[in-house]
Amino acid sequence: MPANNQFDMPIAIALHGGAGTILRSEMSPEKEVQYTHALKDALHAAYQHLLDHGSALDAVEIAVTMLEDCPLFNAGKGSVFTAEGKHEMDASIMEGRNRSAGAISLVTGVKNPIRLARLVMEKSEHVFLAGSGAMEFARKMKCDFADETYFFDRFRYDQWQKIKDTQSFQLDHSVNTDQEKPKKMGTVGAVACDVQGNIAAATSTGGMTNKRWGRIGDSPVIGSGTYAHNLTCAVSCTGSGEYFLRGVVAYDVSCLIEYKNYSLAQACQEVILQRLLELGGDGGLVAVNAKGEVSMTFNTEGMYRASKSPLGETIAIYDA
Ligand code: ASP
């Protein structure tokens, strides 16, 4: 019997809009307000859905879709430029109840990649579709497409122009001093726990500016960028994708809870603040469990993040 008083519900939502070298000194007050509003709008819409006894799966899709529609983040509309001047997007979604999952990679022109990932999960017999095949599936599913003008953003275009004829690639709107360590990531993601105690996770990204060769990061890879299992946790990651892939980060958090009985907070801290750092990776994650506990852990200077549960609301950008 679902609880009626919100304080009796274990509901929770947490979301991120990327992690990296996000410094107060480099942020204008106007930009800070824009980011805060964008996070808050997505947070409140998803939370309201949970309050109305909606599912965690719908809640993460609502949050990620809203962040994909916002040009501030490197996903959907705000996706960065590839070496060929296109936008290639990756996304994944997972439901903790039955561990069903859907993922897509290297799609262009799809307005909301997270919806396509969910359609892969629910309407195909597969988990992961990529490139032209994924787009053929999107057309078959009657997904919304948009032309290049929809995805055009002056800031991201200028960013790409600076490194376009080089071998460099970088994560989102970073000013990179060290090409091996991208400094700012704008991927978006959400995790949620609903009134039934089901949890879900979703992640969406445009990847890296000037990326080539069909480069794919962790975001669409189940276990690395996204994972959900009702027994343990739901996780969405953001950061230097190559390291998150090698660390199988999202699943690693789940394993520490399942095999070593760690709390959610302990598992997130061990993976992000120890294991990932040992590999040389930077970034962070948001996670929830079926009790409605939340963790937002990162090893960078900042992470665009927000969470809400009956215990309260957090919207933050910088570390501390
Ligand atoms: N993890 C993403 C990737 O490597 C980037 C990000 O988090 O911003 O594609």
Side-chain angles (χ1 to χ4, degrees):
M1 182 69 180
N4 282 319
N5 179 337
Q6 66 158 303
F7 295 101
D8 296 335
M9 298 182 187
I11 57 172
I13 172 95
L15 44 98
H16 68 77
T21 312
I22 307 169
L23 303 170
R24 257 195 198 90
S25 53
E26 284 176 17
M27 176 85 73
S28 71
E30 297 76 33
K31 265 260 143 74
E32 194 171 311
V33 168
Q34 285 172 16
Y35 275 110
T36 306
H37 278 166
L39 291 169
K40 193 189 232 171
D41 288 349
L43 186 75
H44 286 186
Y47 191 70
Q48 187 56 51
H49 183 78
L50 295 171
L51 277 179
D52 294 341
H53 295 193
S55 72
L57 188 65
D58 288 341
V60 294
E61 186 186 338
I62 289 168
V64 170
T65 302
M66 288 179 73
L67 297 172
E68 283 179 340
D69 291 343
C70 173
L72 291 171
F73 303 104
N74 172 21
K77 184 170 173 51
S79 293
V80 296
F81 284 84
T82 67
E84 290 173 350
K86 294 195 301 192
H87 306 277
E88 279 175 356
M89 298 167 283
D90 307 329
S92 62
I93 192 162
M94 186 162 183
E95 201 176 2
R97 186 173 57 91
N98 49 12
R99 279 179 289 164
S100 33
I104 51 99
S105 190
L106 304 175
V107 300
T108 55
V110 175
K111 260 180 131 174
N112 290 109
I114 201 65
R115 290 210 175 120
L116 181 56
R118 182 161 174 183
L119 285 165
V120 171
M121 175 172 100
E122 291 178 341
K123 305 280 183 213
S124 84
E125 293 182 346
H126 308 293
V127 169
F128 200 171
L129 302 181
S132 55
M135 285 164 64
E136 194 183 322
F137 179 73
R139 282 188 286 273
K140 193 167 144 93
M141 291 291 121
K142 304 208 178 335
C143 286
D144 286 341
F145 277 79
D147 63 19
E148 282 298 309
T149 55
Y150 173 80
F151 296 96
F152 184 86
D153 180 76
R154 171 56 60 186
F155 176 78
R156 293 239 152 71
Y157 181 77
D158 292 344
Q159 215 180 15
W160 172 54
Q161 290 298 308
K162 284 191 198 132
I163 59 167
K164 163 172 176 296
D165 297 317
T166 70
Q167 299 297 311
S168 316
F169 49 86
Q170 66 186 31
L171 285 170
D172 198 21
H173 38 147
S174 59
V175 181
N176 240 352
T177 44
D178 170 1
Q179 292 303 347
E180 283 174 16
K181 279 281 187 77
K183 293 297 175 211
K184 217 186 222 175
M185 305 84 165
T187 292
V188 305
V191 290
C193 171
D194 65 29
V195 71
Q196 310 286 347
N198 289 317
I199 58 176
T203 312
S204 181
T205 188
M208 306 168 88
T209 299
N210 214 32
K211 66 181 179 177
R212 61 187 76 210
W213 304 315
R215 181 267 180 191
I216 301 170
D218 60 312
S219 309
V221 178
I222 297 300
S224 288
T226 304
Y227 191 71
H229 185 359
N230 272 8
L231 280 184
T232 55
C233 57
V235 180
S236 169
C237 300
T238 176
S240 43
E242 280 65 14
Y243 297 91
F244 279 70
L245 280 166
R246 289 164 54 200
V248 201
V249 165
Y251 186 58
D252 207 20
V253 173
S254 173
C255 286
L256 286 174
I257 297 170
E258 185 170 1
Y259 303 145
K260 288 182 106 178
N261 224 7
Y262 277 33
S263 70
L264 183 73
Q266 281 173 327
C268 293
Q269 280 166 17
E270 172 141 345
V271 171
I272 295 296
L273 306 182
Q274 285 184 43
R275 295 181 191 224
L276 184 66
L277 276 182
E278 277 158 23
L279 266 183
D282 51 4
L285 56 76
V286 291
V288 294
N289 62 19
K291 290 186 274 184
E293 292 170 346
V294 171
S295 174
M296 302 193 284
T297 311
F298 52 100
N299 63 25
T300 47
E301 281 84 350
M303 179 165 82
Y304 297 107
R305 62 196 186 279
S307 71
K308 194 166 171 66
S309 77
L311 299 178
E313 175 177 312
T314 303
I315 299 178
I317 300 177
Y318 316 102
D319 189 9

